[in-house]
Amino acid sequence: MRQYPSISEKHRSFIERQHMYFVGTAARDGRVNVSPKGLDSLRVLGPDRVVWLNGTGSGNETAAHILDSPRMTLMFCSFEGQPLIMRLYGTARAIHEGDPDWGELLALFPPMSGARNVFELAVDLVQTSCGFGVPLYDYVEQRTLMPAWADSRGPDAIRDYQQQKNRVSIDGLPTGLPQPDLAAPRPT
């Protein structure tokens, strides 16, 4: 195991080759959440800054946890080639539609129907380990089910779904998801 104070170019290259990563968060009380992520949803913006785009899903645990305790870990595993596990530790914040830097950060990614939030991680520790116990897998392709699901519903139905399913965590914690202004017209 080795530890580094920031993301080097070698680390960045490894991260950018991965097809999947895992996000770990926990509030001060309640359940710990570990969530797999894929698609083209992560950007390394500097030696101590990473952002990732979160699509609409059945839960919104990460956002709830970050409001309570901003700790976050991102983990990458090489499932192909040389074995390696890399963890990025740091402090995170959630950016929602309507926040001042939402548009700027969202523009870093390909369009994603159902984009719900962007998370920014201020990295304070990078840790690598051998990964000898991680199995080898052949990558086939990214699944298109989540974007297709969001596309089939449209923006209004996605906002309604988020309001019904994503306002609180499984432990009852608020997620910070903004409530739509019912008097304002919905964007098209």
Side-chain angles (χ1 to χ4, degrees):
M1 175 176 55
R2 292 188 175 167
Q3 296 181 342
Y4 307 88
S6 61
I7 301 167
S8 70
E9 282 304 313
K10 183 177 176 181
H11 297 147
R12 180 183 191 138
S13 177
F14 172 76
I15 290 167
E16 290 174 348
R17 288 192 311 270
Q18 303 316 302
H19 304 291
M20 179 172 62
Y21 58 99
F22 300 86
V23 178
T25 57
R28 289 173 288 179
D29 294 311
R31 291 165 181 82
V32 173
N33 187 60
V34 178
S35 186
K37 302 294 177 186
L39 304 172
D40 186 8
S41 64
L42 185 130
R43 298 290 182 270
V44 177
L45 300 184
D48 60 357
R49 185 175 178 221
V50 173
V51 294
W52 60 274
L53 178 62
N54 195 26
T56 297
S58 56
N60 199 3
E61 303 309 299
T62 303
H65 291 169
I66 294 308
L67 278 178
D68 185 71
S69 176
R71 299 167 301 151
M72 179 182 282
T73 301
L74 300 181
M75 185 181 78
F76 305 86
C77 298
S78 62
F79 294 107
E80 303 169 310
Q82 296 297 316
L84 181 67
I85 298 170
M86 180 182 296
R87 292 178 180 88
L88 307 179
Y89 297 94
T91 303
R93 71 181 182 109
I95 298 95
H96 301 281
E97 185 175 2
D99 288 345
D101 43 357
W102 170 256
E104 174 188 343
L105 293 174
L106 188 64
L108 297 172
F109 303 97
M112 177 193 286
S113 295
R116 182 176 55 199
N117 23 42
V118 175
F119 290 93
E120 178 180 37
L121 179 64
V123 176
D124 59 39
L125 178 66
V126 177
Q127 179 182 295
T128 61
S129 56
C130 68
F132 291 171
V134 176
L136 285 169
Y137 284 104
D138 290 327
Y139 174 72
V140 176
E141 64 185 5
Q142 292 287 342
R143 295 179 195 259
T144 58
L145 296 171
M146 188 175 75
W149 173 83
D151 285 341
S152 73
R153 279 151 183 77
D156 289 345
I158 291 296
R159 278 188 208 85
D160 292 343
Y161 180 91
Q162 289 174 348
Q163 292 302 312
Q164 293 171 13
K165 304 276 187 180
N166 297 158
R167 295 205 51 76
V168 297
S169 73
I170 58 175
D171 292 319
L173 299 171
T175 65
L177 187 71
Q179 286 187 292
D181 181 358
L182 299 177
R186 288 185 166 182
T188 57

